[in-house]
Amino acid sequence: MATKEKSLVIVESPAKSKTIKKILGNDFQIEASYGHVRNLPTKDSATENLGFDVNNNFEPKFEIIPGKQQVVRKLNDMAKKVDRIYLASDPDREGEAIAWHVRQILKVPDEKIYRIVFNEITPKAVKYSVENPRGIDMDMVKAQQTRQILDKLVGYKLSPVLWKEMGNRNLSAGRVQSVALRMICEREDEIEAFKPQEYWSIHTLFDKDGKQFEAELSKIKGKSVEKTIKNQEEAQKIVDYLTNPNSEFAVDKVNKRTVKRNPSAPFITSTMQRAASSKLGFGVSKTMQVAQKLYEGVEIDGAPVGLITYMRTDSVRVSDDAQNMAHDFILQNYGEKYYPQKPNIYAKGKQNVQDAHEAIRPAYPERTPESIKKYLDNDQYKLYKLIWEKFMSSQMAPAEIANKSIEITSGDYTLKAGTSKVMFDGFLTLYNDDDEEEGKEADAKIPDLEKGDKVACKKVEPKQHFTQPPPRYNEASLVKALEEYGIGRPSTYATIITVIQTRKYVEKKNKALFPTLLGRAVSKQLVAEFADIMDYKFTAGMEAKLDEIADKKVEWIKVLNDFYGPFMEEVNKVMETAQRVTVNAGVKCPNCGKPMVLRTSKKGTQFLGCSGYPDCKTALSLNVLQELDGTNDEENSENQQEICEEKCPVCGSDMKFKIGPYGKYMECTSPECGHRKPYRKSTGVTCPKCGKGTIVERKSKRGTVFYGCDQYPECDFVLWNEPTGEKCPNCGSMLVKKTLKNGEVITCSSIKCGYKKED
């Protein structure tokens, strides 16, 4: 007779199961549910395909997810052979819902089933949770179900409106994703409407006993001059005064003070995503994927180890155990002066290892990034190092910064110079939020000066500037905006950003998020017709109500009833009057001159079609919009007839630019010839290999930009970066422009050389 297993622990993923198996040993059998096992049905005529009955208190009708039947059978077979079953899905609403669904499919008595949660997969946390199990929190489950029902209501009821108005059944709306799309579209509107304003700044070079230092005009008659000097004429008047031999300059104020700069809290989901973006160049989805692996466990010395705490959190609290471990590590490795007089507390109250809301931190602070680097891949190491350094720095002493500023006056003008120097690095020895060096050797830049000291003005330089439009969102800044508005939650940020890009509503170019023509059209319609659903405060308010459901402050059915009535009234009203919408692409037809509009093929592909159809059947690829990005209608019309500098290689006649289905191309102006060739943006640099051709911008089959000779295939010279036309002073190879994290640099195209041009 087979021996009965003592206990079964059910988790979501196989990776997590391996780590827990190592901790609990052979008395526990670990199995994965592979995420959710049940969901709302996609097709159910009884509930209008919604999967829940709006006429019966939104009663959901769950079914086993297609393909999960084998998982369900295996879990039931294992459950029958054990005495106790522990549901150990993640410590959030989604995890609680997964646990409940698993409970529903298990055909065993209730008294055998327990719910356990832990914020980190460590021996202490996991064993504590097994020793202190609880029941399933149905309020958390109802909050998750309410979100699911709300999202499906919005998607299933709004999407048909878009289908009717835009003639495209591939379109869809989302309760949160559509609001995120609105943010991106409105930012694009701001950028397009922005009109740059000219302003000037005045920079000076002073000398005191042979020591020179820089200062900038800060006040005129005691009032700030920031962006108030509007033109060159105003700037020149100031320059004339400051350069007048009779003008005298005296030190009016000297301020010296040492300030303490405190460390910031350890990461929550959004701050981790933003830091990973700015410091590591990771996208939001990539950050969460790597963090998930670090949380579930990485093989170290032949056994899986969970390296960080749960990565979906909006709390900055830290457990007492973690704080004590950080204390010991800092004292041992950095010394007493690097630990604060009192531990840094970022939230009130204590917590135990079961608390679902703890900051993201290393599970074992003593496991330094370098000590486990050989076990991690490059991305895992980078993110773990970021998390480890952020947490350890959050527990360290403040840095001490010596700030020094002086004000120099001459007549109505006040010029200011300021420096700072790190006197004690404190937490900065590990992590700097600003990702920039504090002013080292800063005191050397300003000589010792006292009030009344005379200084000589050696140089005055006016600089012209223009105000800049607000920057486009990138993934990290969009997460920050969503968080500030209270839209979405830690577990949803990555999904929101992925969905709007998958739907082709948004494109990512050089890390910036650009709304597509389709995305702007969809957002415009939704904002105009469903003001409440698309309202930032309304969406944030709904998130707050979901929190209240989980906190037992409001009934989930009441939240749904309060939403459903007004929502359906608005949907039905719009649906009755909905008319087909024409989306003008801002491009004129190259054949008849009429506006091109956005159309959808029978297969769902987007393209541009002439508004004169069927008289004119011209169709263009959407790539045309990228070719003409930043030009208006009149400019587009002119571009279509613009004469190229290049001559026709066949007959020698002029070539003109035209737009075709695949974008911009060149065509011979001679009707007898008609030769065409693709347009390649020229760098103006002569090919160093053949000496005949010019290096032009080209694209690979995958869309990657590179640079090659326009005499291809006769000449096969290529570069991956744009050439400057200069030669390397070291090896004679061509210098190229490279865009790095900190800006553009000019380097040698030869990898072996490594020359870098200094500014």
Side-chain angles (χ1 to χ4, degrees):
M1 185 174 179
T3 302
K4 203 172 189 181
E5 288 283 348
K6 289 184 179 180
S7 299
L8 170 66
V9 179
I10 300 176
V11 296
E12 302 103 317
S13 71
K16 190 175 177 181
S17 66
K18 292 179 182 178
T19 311
I20 295 174
K21 177 67 176 176
K22 177 204 170 190
I23 293 171
L24 293 179
N26 294 329
D27 289 342
F28 289 80
Q29 199 168 359
I30 320 295
E31 188 56 41
S33 69
Y34 296 88
H36 278 282
V37 293
R38 299 199 310 169
N39 204 349
L40 296 172
T42 54
K43 293 183 179 180
D44 180 23
S45 58
T47 59
E48 299 180 3
N49 293 332
L50 291 170
F52 49 87
D53 190 350
V54 296
N55 298 314
N56 185 25
N57 288 329
F58 300 92
E59 185 66 28
K61 180 182 177 183
F62 293 105
E63 63 180 23
I64 295 174
I65 297 170
K68 283 294 185 75
Q69 287 83 357
Q70 186 174 349
V71 172
V72 171
R73 283 195 296 270
K74 184 174 183 180
L75 291 176
N76 268 295
D77 289 343
M78 297 176 74
K80 293 172 184 177
K81 299 174 184 178
V82 297
D83 298 317
R84 296 165 71 89
I85 301 162
Y86 297 97
L87 306 177
S89 45
D90 287 342
D92 56 14
R93 287 182 207 160
E94 204 68 28
E96 204 70 21
I98 289 174
W100 179 76
H101 283 293
V102 171
R103 169 66 196 94
Q104 297 306 110
I105 59 96
L106 292 179
K107 299 174 182 178
V108 295
D110 283 345
E111 55 266 23
K112 288 179 63 173
I113 299 179
Y114 303 86
R115 171 76 167 124
I116 59 174
V117 293
F118 34 81
N119 189 56
E120 57 188 4
I121 308 178
T122 60
K124 184 174 182 179
V126 173
K127 289 176 181 178
Y128 181 92
S129 68
V130 172
E131 293 167 2
N132 297 271
R134 62 168 172 80
I136 292 174
D137 188 330
M138 288 307 300
D139 294 294
M140 290 181 70
V141 174
K142 290 302 181 184
Q144 188 273 344
Q145 287 183 10
T146 304
R147 174 188 288 279
Q148 196 175 12
I149 290 171
L150 283 170
D151 289 347
K152 202 160 189 181
L153 273 173
V154 172
Y156 272 61
K157 297 301 182 181
L158 292 194
S159 297
V161 178
L162 294 175
W163 301 347
K164 183 175 181 180
E165 293 179 333
M166 304 186 72
N168 182 355
R169 292 185 65 85
N170 293 308
L171 301 181
S172 60
R175 184 181 63 86
V176 180
Q177 294 91 335
S178 295
V179 177
L181 173 63
R182 177 185 179 179
M183 285 185 179
I184 295 170
C185 291
E186 288 185 343
R187 177 58 58 88
E188 197 69 20
D189 292 340
E190 290 179 53
I191 292 170
E192 291 179 354
F194 182 81
K195 294 181 179 179
Q197 301 294 320
E198 180 184 7
Y199 70 97
W200 290 70
S201 59
I202 309 296
H203 301 261
T204 58
L205 181 67
F206 285 106
D207 180 273
K208 175 61 174 176
D209 299 331
K211 292 185 177 181
Q212 295 187 337
F213 62 98
E214 296 176 351
E216 183 177 350
L217 180 68
S218 63
K219 298 176 186 176
I220 299 178
K221 294 182 179 180
K223 293 184 178 181
S224 173
V225 299
E226 186 177 7
K227 297 182 182 179
T228 60
I229 304 172
K230 297 298 185 182
N231 51 54
Q232 187 175 10
E233 183 179 357
E234 292 180 18
Q236 191 58 47
K237 289 180 181 178
I238 299 170
V239 172
D240 290 343
Y241 176 87
L242 297 179
T243 55
N244 190 313
N246 296 322
S247 297
E248 293 186 350
F249 299 87
V251 175
D252 185 54
K253 290 181 182 178
V254 177
N255 291 318
K256 295 180 181 179
R257 64 189 184 114
T258 299
V259 297
K260 288 188 176 181
R261 179 177 164 189
N262 294 314
S264 57
F267 285 137
I268 60 176
T269 302
S270 60
T271 54
M272 177 184 70
Q273 290 170 343
R274 299 204 300 269
S277 174
S278 63
K279 294 176 180 288
L280 307 179
F282 287 5
V284 169
S285 292
K286 179 177 179 178
T287 298
M288 297 308 290
Q289 289 167 5
V290 177
Q292 182 88 33
K293 183 62 179 174
L294 293 173
Y295 166 69
E296 291 180 342
V298 175
E299 291 281 335
I300 295 180
D301 291 331
V305 177
L307 292 174
I308 65 170
T309 53
Y310 193 54
M311 61 286 162
R312 295 184 180 93
T313 177
D314 53 9
S315 172
V316 295
R317 286 183 287 167
V318 174
S319 70
D320 292 339
D321 283 346
Q323 202 161 59
N324 291 334
M325 286 189 287
H327 166 268
D328 294 344
F329 185 90
I330 293 168
L331 291 184
Q332 184 177 350
N333 292 275
Y334 294 93
E336 288 188 12
K337 66 178 181 178
Y338 280 90
Y339 195 79
Q341 293 181 351
K342 294 181 180 180
N344 295 327
I345 303 296
Y346 297 98
K348 293 181 180 180
K350 295 182 178 180
Q351 68 176 60
N352 57 45
V353 292
Q354 273 193 300
D355 196 324
H357 299 286
E358 188 177 352
I360 303 168
R361 59 168 177 80
Y364 305 94
E366 71 274 13
R367 290 188 183 273
T368 65
E370 290 304 318
S371 71
I372 60 171
K373 184 176 182 179
K374 63 182 178 181
Y375 303 106
L376 307 177
D377 64 32
N378 192 41
D379 290 338
Q380 290 169 352
Y381 168 73
K382 287 180 178 178
L383 187 60
Y384 180 72
K385 185 172 185 286
L386 191 71
I387 293 168
W388 188 91
E389 290 179 346
K390 177 67 170 176
F391 168 70
M392 295 303 295
S393 72
S394 75
Q395 304 302 303
M396 296 178 82
E400 294 181 6
I401 314 294
N403 292 324
K404 180 179 179 181
S405 66
I406 63 170
E407 289 186 359
I408 299 168
T409 58
S410 181
D412 294 334
Y413 302 107
T414 301
L415 301 107
K416 190 172 183 179
T419 61
S420 63
K421 182 179 181 180
V422 177
M423 305 304 292
F424 171 61
D425 56 0
F427 76 93
L428 290 174
T429 192
L430 273 181
Y431 190 90
N432 189 345
D433 286 299
D434 296 334
D435 198 23
E436 60 186 23
E437 291 288 325
E438 294 287 344
K440 293 182 179 180
E441 300 179 1
D443 275 348
K445 295 181 181 179
I446 298 180
D448 289 329
L449 295 168
E450 301 293 337
K451 183 176 180 179
D453 284 352
K454 303 292 184 180
V455 294
C457 184
K458 294 295 185 181
K459 183 180 178 182
V460 180
E461 182 182 6
K463 293 183 180 180
Q464 184 186 39
H465 309 275
F466 292 91
T467 54
Q468 297 297 310
R472 289 182 176 87
Y473 287 112
N474 55 32
E475 291 188 359
S477 61
L478 181 61
V479 166
K480 183 179 181 181
L482 290 169
E483 184 183 37
E484 289 174 347
Y485 276 107
I487 297 170
R489 287 297 181 263
S491 61
T492 63
Y493 297 139
T495 303
I496 291 168
I497 292 171
T498 299
V499 167
I500 57 178
Q501 292 181 72
T502 302
R503 290 177 179 172
K504 307 297 184 185
Y505 295 161
V506 171
E507 291 178 332
K508 186 160 65 172
K509 305 175 188 175
N510 296 323
K511 296 185 180 181
L513 298 174
F514 289 74
T516 63
L517 177 64
L518 177 64
R520 298 183 80 169
V522 167
S523 182
K524 182 179 179 181
Q525 287 301 113
L526 291 175
V527 170
E529 296 172 336
F530 300 100
D532 285 344
I533 296 298
M534 296 293 287
D535 182 72
Y536 299 149
K537 290 183 179 179
F538 179 87
T539 306
M542 190 58 68
E543 295 287 356
K545 288 179 181 177
L546 294 173
D547 291 340
E548 290 176 356
I549 294 171
D551 293 336
K552 303 177 177 60
K553 294 179 180 178
V554 66
E555 286 291 326
W556 71 286
I557 293 175
K558 183 180 187 309
V559 171
L560 288 171
N561 278 325
D562 290 348
F563 171 82
Y564 184 70
F567 171 68
M568 286 308 301
E569 183 179 339
E570 195 172 7
V571 170
N572 293 332
K573 181 180 178 181
V574 172
M575 199 65 171
E576 288 176 3
T577 59
Q579 300 291 327
R580 188 66 176 267
V581 174
T582 299
V583 181
N584 194 317
V587 177
K588 291 187 177 180
C589 175
N591 292 325
C592 72
K594 291 183 178 179
M596 300 294 284
V597 296
L598 186 66
R599 296 194 187 280
T600 307
S601 70
K602 292 180 180 179
K603 294 182 179 180
T605 304
Q606 299 284 315
F607 67 97
L608 301 183
C610 182
S611 58
Y613 181 86
D615 295 332
C616 179
K617 298 181 180 180
T618 301
L620 303 177
S621 164
L622 288 178
N623 292 335
V624 171
L625 299 180
Q626 297 178 358
E627 296 286 348
L628 298 175
D629 187 31
T631 60
N632 58 31
D633 283 359
E634 292 181 6
E635 289 172 335
N636 292 342
S637 178
E638 292 171 2
N639 283 342
Q640 290 162 15
Q641 299 300 322
E642 183 183 350
I643 301 299
C644 315
E645 294 181 7
E646 192 172 336
K647 299 294 183 180
C648 175
V650 176
C651 70
S653 301
D654 288 335
M655 300 281 285
K656 63 182 178 182
F657 290 121
K658 295 194 75 175
I659 301 170
Y662 303 102
K664 202 171 183 181
Y665 67 93
M666 296 181 287
E667 183 178 78
C668 181
T669 55
S670 171
E672 292 77 17
C673 177
H675 175 72
R676 296 179 178 182
K677 63 182 295 187
Y679 167 66
R680 310 289 190 196
K681 183 180 178 181
S682 175
T683 65
V685 177
T686 302
C687 175
K689 185 172 183 179
C690 69
K692 298 179 182 179
T694 300
I695 299 177
V696 296
E697 183 181 294
R698 299 175 65 185
K699 286 186 179 180
S700 68
K701 291 181 179 179
R702 294 184 178 182
T704 304
V705 173
F706 68 98
Y707 297 85
C709 181
D710 64 358
Q711 298 298 306
Y712 180 83
E714 288 77 15
C715 178
D716 60 359
F717 179 78
V718 294
L719 290 168
W720 284 110
N721 301 98
E722 183 179 356
T724 65
E726 302 175 86
K727 289 186 177 181
C728 175
N730 288 352
C731 69
S733 299
M734 190 164 285
L735 295 183
V736 295
K737 300 176 185 176
K738 285 186 179 180
T739 303
L740 303 178
K741 179 181 176 181
N742 297 323
E744 189 176 80
V745 297
I746 296 176
T747 65
C748 181
S749 58
S750 172
I751 299 176
K752 295 180 180 179
C753 175
Y755 170 78
K756 179 180 176 182
K757 187 176 182 180
E758 299 296 333
D759 294 334

